[in-house]
Amino acid sequence: MSSVLLRDFLYELCVSSEKAACIARHIRFMHSDFNSMIQEKKLDENHQHLTADYKTLADVIIQEVIKRDLKRIYPVLTHHIHGEEDGSLKLNSTDEKIVIDVSGSQEDILNLLSKK
């Protein structure tokens, strides 16, 4: 990879990182039910040192936004960009899940989350 391409890629990662921080701050300081959207994950062999592991709305939205942005900028990497989370979140104590799709408008995302 040329130094220019690497520099551009690192720049986009920094932009994504700052966007992730903004999303996390926004969700953390919102006074809404979205802050209570937390799901306890089952521990696998890679996480046995933890007593618990949680997935939050911020985790899923941040991951999906970063994946979306990097795939738009680097379409050749589309099938190589993955995240830790599965892109979904349980709505409540049932097993019903919603898939967080960040490809639509802000209103579409809010309507999806309002199903909670």
Side-chain angles (χ1 to χ4, degrees), residues 71-86:
K71 287 176 182 180
R72 279 186 192 159
I73 297 166
Y74 302 102
V76 70
L77 297 177
T78 294
H79 299 294
H80 303 285
I81 298 173
H82 307 284
E84 177 185 0
E85 312 302 348
D86 67 0

Side-chain angles (χ1 to χ4, degrees), residues 25-84:
R25 282 190 294 271
H26 184 73
I27 290 174
R28 176 158 171 74
F29 294 111
M30 283 184 351
H31 298 287
S32 72
D33 290 337
F34 297 149
N35 286 317
S36 64
M37 295 179 78
I38 299 171
Q39 175 184 333
E40 187 169 359
K41 300 187 310 186
K42 293 182 179 173
L43 298 176
D44 59 20
E45 67 268 1
N46 296 324
H47 297 93
Q48 291 302 313
H49 61 284
L50 301 174
T51 56
D53 192 12
Y54 298 94
K55 174 169 60 171
T56 67
L57 176 63
D59 293 332
V60 178
I61 289 177
I62 288 167
Q63 171 184 286
E64 296 306 308
V65 166
I66 290 171
K67 286 170 46 180
R68 179 202 63 199
D69 291 355
L70 291 178
K71 287 176 182 180
R72 279 186 192 159
I73 297 166
Y74 302 102
V76 70
L77 297 177
T78 294
H79 299 294
H80 303 285
I81 298 173
H82 307 284
E84 177 185 0

